[in-house]
Amino acid sequence: MAAKTLQKDIMQYYKESQAIKDAIADAERILIITHVDPDGDALGSLTAVGLAMQQLGKSVTLAVDGGLLRRFSFLPLADQIAQSADNTTYDLIISVDCGDEQRMGHTFADLPLPRPTLINIDHHVTNTNFGSINLVDAEAASTTEILTLLFNDLDIRMTSDIAQSLLTGLVTDTLGFRTLNVTPRTFEIASQMMQAGADLPTITMLALNLKPLSTLKMWNVGLSNMRMKNGLIWTTISKAERDALGYNGTGSGGLVSMMSDVETAAISVVLNELDDGRISVSFRSRPPYNVADLAMNLGGGGHPLAAGCTLDGPLDKAETLVVDLSLQAIETANHD
Ligand code: AMP
Ligand code: MN
Ligand code: MN
């Protein structure tokens, strides 16, 4: 099979591109949404689509439940990201990096009915195809990887600002090109973004490396609570522990990835007790262990090797449930 290249083919890269092009052509006011607790791919995708739609002369609102994270304030359009939609009537919604409707949080749930056409652009294998048009490519290392190919299909001019947003999603979701889903296509796109003016050293430093001191203190607590059994390595961080450290973030991405690198670990889990008493759960694994199914069975979603869900408290009950199911998943995979 001939590999498609990033060069402009007569054929569009995605079969969904024409329907997306038509829906955009019919719209004037567009609401762009990404997921709660946004990461670099969420915010890179959000701002890249915002810039692309502005280039097409559209009026855009960028909204994310909970707003922007400070460390991503270097992104173009960052100062224009709202916490919710305004009172405008939208002709079109574009959702990026969300596996299901709930991931958009209040920003989406509070919109008046009937809702306009929704374009769902995402790379989660667990995506529920909740849009009117669904562009879901689970082989893409980031949603911004999909957007690069889509923008080519839509004849969007690649500016340095768009490239900066797109490369941010690629660098953060691949942990600096270290995840197992990185392909030649990923590097081809990264190279194209750098040639268009994206600043890789700045992205790597601001979006990937730098973190508050309180994050390391949180890891310290997490590592001292860490346990290991039959290939499962896990830890918990209670709200009381976070409060004592002055750590107000909800993420545990760095810690759960670090734990998954233990040689004898099949699955790693971090359970984080949130301010409202619910428990945010992050999963990582190495092949052949699959945490997307595990997280989806618990009402969440994600990728085969990186997934998550949110459970009801209390913490010890959630821990027991997650540990039991994770050990079962390891056991099942060991016998397949
Ligand atoms: P995290 O552990 O927060 O870095 O998330 C890892 C992956 O799981 C990401 O692709 C997330 O989009 C997905 N994920 C995390 N939490 C949830 C959730 N509550 N529901 C659905 N997907 C989630
Ligand atoms: Mn994301
Ligand atoms: Mn992503």
Side-chain angles (χ1 to χ4, degrees):
M1 195 177 82
K4 285 184 189 166
T5 68
L6 300 184
Q7 307 303 317
K8 190 73 191 162
D9 284 330
I10 298 170
M11 294 290 289
Q12 299 196 310
Y13 195 91
Y14 288 119
K15 66 175 176 10
E16 295 83 359
S17 294
Q18 190 58 48
I20 292 175
K21 195 171 197 163
D22 294 344
I24 292 168
D26 287 345
E28 267 174 39
R29 291 170 300 265
I30 304 179
L31 174 65
I32 309 163
I33 311 184
T34 191
H35 63 77
V36 297
D37 293 329
D39 48 33
D41 190 28
L43 295 168
S45 298
L46 185 80
T47 54
V49 174
L51 292 163
M53 294 304 106
Q54 284 181 345
Q55 194 184 104
L56 296 177
K58 310 296 175 182
S59 142
V60 296
T61 300
L62 273 54
V64 43
D65 189 339
L68 181 82
L69 296 179
R70 196 164 42 88
R71 68 196 176 97
F72 291 110
S73 51
F74 73 93
L75 283 171
L77 294 186
D79 56 344
Q80 292 177 42
I81 297 174
Q83 301 223 13
S84 58
D86 47 35
N87 290 324
T88 311
T89 308
Y90 298 99
D91 308 316
L92 179 67
I93 302 173
I94 303 178
S95 158
V96 285
D97 202 41
C98 295
D100 58 69
E101 286 186 15
Q102 286 68 41
R103 288 289 281 162
M104 294 182 277
H106 284 290
T107 308
F108 182 76
D110 296 349
L111 288 175
L113 298 171
R115 297 187 183 116
T117 301
L118 193 161
I119 302 175
N120 160 25
I121 304 173
D122 184 40
H123 68 131
H124 291 96
V125 69
T126 53
N127 193 288
T128 58
N129 290 319
F130 57 89
S132 334
I133 303 170
N134 300 290
L135 173 50
V136 179
D137 178 355
E139 283 171 17
S142 67
T143 296
T144 62
E145 184 171 322
I146 302 173
L147 289 172
T148 308
L149 301 162
L150 175 68
F151 288 176
N152 199 37
D153 286 349
L154 300 182
D155 296 314
I156 304 288
R157 189 168 35 84
M158 189 53 63
T159 64
S160 59
D161 274 356
I162 294 179
Q164 184 81 342
S165 289
L166 292 172
L167 189 59
T168 298
L170 208 49
V171 168
T172 52
D173 259 24
T174 60
L175 306 178
F177 306 103
R178 286 188 296 135
T179 54
L180 302 185
N181 56 353
V182 171
T183 63
R185 183 175 88 174
T186 315
F187 281 110
E188 210 181 328
I189 287 171
S191 167
Q192 197 184 76
M193 293 308 112
M194 289 180 76
Q195 284 169 39
D199 178 0
L200 180 64
T202 296
I203 294 169
T204 302
M205 182 175 64
L206 296 181
L208 206 54
N209 293 351
L210 294 186
K211 49 189 76 67
L213 179 62
S214 58
T215 298
L216 266 74
K217 292 184 176 172
M218 186 274 281
W219 289 1
N220 186 30
V221 171
L223 289 172
S224 52
N225 293 343
M226 186 176 72
R227 295 183 54 195
M228 175 129 203
K229 182 180 173 187
N230 296 345
L232 178 68
I233 187 161
W234 81 98
T235 195
T236 60
I237 297 143
S238 69
K239 178 173 149 32
E241 284 169 325
R242 279 194 300 118
D243 287 348
L245 298 172
Y247 179 78
N248 54 14
T250 53
S252 47
L255 177 59
V256 75
S257 296
M258 187 159 62
M259 286 165 48
S260 74
D261 288 337
V262 169
E263 287 166 342
T264 48
I267 293 180
S268 68
V269 188
V270 173
L271 296 103
N272 227 311
E273 187 182 18
L274 304 174
D275 285 344
D276 64 7
R278 291 185 311 150
I279 315 299
S280 163
V281 187
S282 286
F283 295 96
R284 297 291 183 272
S285 64
R286 275 200 301 281
Y289 305 97
N290 179 324
V291 285
D293 296 342
L294 192 54
M296 200 165 65
N297 290 338
L298 290 165
H303 309 284
L305 307 181
C309 63
T310 307
L311 299 175
D312 288 336
L315 184 56
D316 55 353
K317 186 166 148 259
E319 181 184 0
T320 305
L321 174 69
V322 167
V323 167
D324 284 353
L325 291 179
S326 302
L327 287 171
Q328 274 174 36
I330 293 172
E331 188 71 9
T332 307
N334 285 345
H335 290 100
D336 275 352

